[in-house]
Amino acid sequence: MRSSRTPLARRLAALATGALTAVGLFAAGATTAHAADTPLRTLGAAKGKVIGTAVTGSKLTGSYGDIAGSQFSSLTPGNAMKWGSVEPTQGSFNWTEADQIVAFAQAHNQQVRGHTLVWHSQNPSWLTNGSWTSAQLSSLLQNHISTEVGRYKGKIAAWDVVNEPFNEDGTYRSTLWYNGLGSGYIANALTWAHAADPDAKLYINDYNVEGVNSKSTALYNLVKSLKQQGVPIDGVGLQAHLILGQVPSTLQQNIQRFADLGVDVAITELDVRMALPADSTKLAQQAADFKSVVAACVAVTRCVNVTVWGFTDSDSWVPSTFPGYGAATPYDENYSPKPAYYGIAEALGGSGTTPPPTNGACTATYSVTSQWNTGFTGQVKIACAGASLSSWKASWTYGAGQQITQAWNAGCTQSGSAVTCANASYNGSVPDGGSVTFGFNASWSGSNPVPTVTLS
Ligand code: 9MR
């Protein structure tokens, strides 16, 4: 495993005048890491595993599209197939993003995991605010499933038919569906999905069911009973939204017990979040965590798919949901593979995947620390881990006419939109494990997007 040389990425809150405003941060590294020669999808195929990622349809161009198309053999729409996305107004459908993802997958010889048909969240307000008899609710659900599964018949390898039906203690979650229809909604949903596309593999998907615990045992008992009743259930999805260093020790055992029931298992939403800022120790632990999850899947024949919930830290749900946490995916915000990427590759039998170390362990992180109607104060922190600098220069291009007016702890020049800041006489040296920060004031109007910083 290489040591960390990866640009670190994070989001912080920036203090705006009178109010806290979330502002995206961007970190750029001194060097660009290169992915393994053999794509993850190829490594996975050699082990009989499909390797997937959740995607956002509008981002499937440029570097994001290149990586999504080349490294992965399966795509899951992160949001595009949810009920609230496809039928925001009753009877009025919007399939644009879902269609786009399916077309991209077909063009790149990828599977699609459909996500998700029956959930308590991200439903349209007309549905959740309505007052329905159970017969009406049942027919709404059947129509939804028939319409959506039917539309993509033959194009979806697997559907997360039912998402997150359980509480942590293994009782059924109180939802629109459970409260209105009882637990029978699960068998009905599977049966209706099967009728609409008999070839799609049908899954129940949940979180905190990765290890052997009350919740996963409830899922196990449900699947067992559905199988006994002849209900079409093909697999279970273990989401695997994990916390750094907390891969359950019973993961493989748990995968195996589901496999022994006669269903497939997929790791459907893998990410490993950490308290920010990331550092080389945390990134190495994260690599070990990704590696052990993938290795557990590799060890069980019926574990068929490992999907990451976003492949880049720039497209992850974590920072906005868990303030102070992030860096949860295998690529940083700048699309450089992180140690976690190589952890996945190694678990899939990749060899020679670790690029030779360079002086790439120094990163520059740009942030807006306060902002008012015409101006803002920003800073750039240069931090090294596993490398050091004797002098430095941080450069970026402003995309919205921002203009530096004053800088401290660096000499900054701006020519047009191009800014270059070089170390002062006293802070060119950044030791391994150390950092320096310089600051500036600037003007802005309209918008103040965060630029990409290049360190040299
Ligand atoms: O990644 C999704 C994010 O963009 C949405 O805001 C969020 C809303 O709940 O849903 C995220 O995806 C969830 C997935 O559909 C089901 N498991 C948990 C995921 C993370 O919240």
Side-chain angles (χ1 to χ4, degrees), residues 54 56 77-79 82 115-116 119 121-122 163-164 205-207 239 241 269 271 309 315-318 320-322:
T56 301
N79 291 301
K82 292 169 181 172
H115 176 87
T116 178
W119 195 20
S121 185
Q122 290 185 283
N163 199 35
E164 303 174 357
N205 190 47
D206 215 326
Y207 64 88
Q239 292 185 7
H241 292 295
E269 304 183 16
D271 52 26
W309 204 245
D315 189 37
S316 168
W317 69 297
V318 168
S320 58
T321 306
F322 301 100

Side-chain angles (χ1 to χ4, degrees), residues 23-24 366 368 376 397-402 444-452:
V23 169
Y366 177 110
V368 173
F376 66 99
T397 303
Y398 274 133
Q402 299 101 317
W444 72 288
S445 71
S447 68
N448 186 17
V450 172
T452 300

Side-chain angles (χ1 to χ4, degrees), residues 364-444:
T365 305
Y366 177 110
S367 56
V368 173
T369 52
S370 70
Q371 181 169 300
W372 55 98
N373 52 351
T374 57
F376 66 99
T377 299
Q379 68 174 38
V380 173
K381 179 178 181 182
I382 297 169
C384 292
S388 60
L389 294 169
S390 55
S391 66
W392 47 262
K393 201 185 276 185
S395 316
W396 64 89
T397 303
Y398 274 133
Q402 299 101 317
Q403 180 70 44
I404 302 259
T405 53
Q406 183 191 9
W408 50 95
N409 296 332
C412 293
T413 56
Q414 180 164 358
S415 167
S417 58
V419 178
T420 301
C421 297
N423 61 270
S425 57
Y426 50 86
N427 66 359
S429 158
V430 187
D432 183 358
S435 67
V436 302
T437 300
F438 66 91
F440 53 88
N441 286 331
S443 61
W444 72 288

Side-chain angles (χ1 to χ4, degrees), residues 16-98:
T17 307
L20 276 171
T21 305
V23 169
L25 276 196
F26 195 87
T31 61
T32 301
H34 293 284
D37 290 338
T38 309
L40 297 179
R41 63 185 290 172
T42 309
L43 295 172
K47 296 278 183 194
K49 310 296 169 188
V50 172
I51 307 298
T53 181
V55 289
T56 301
S58 60
K59 297 184 179 175
L60 285 169
T61 58
S63 301
Y64 185 98
D66 290 345
I67 295 170
S70 62
Q71 292 287 333
F72 299 96
S73 44
S74 173
L75 300 183
T76 304
N79 291 301
M81 289 185 171
K82 292 169 181 172
W83 199 332
S85 300
V86 302
E87 196 184 4
T89 305
Q90 189 170 16
S92 161
F93 295 89
N94 181 352
W95 304 106
T96 311
E97 190 191 347

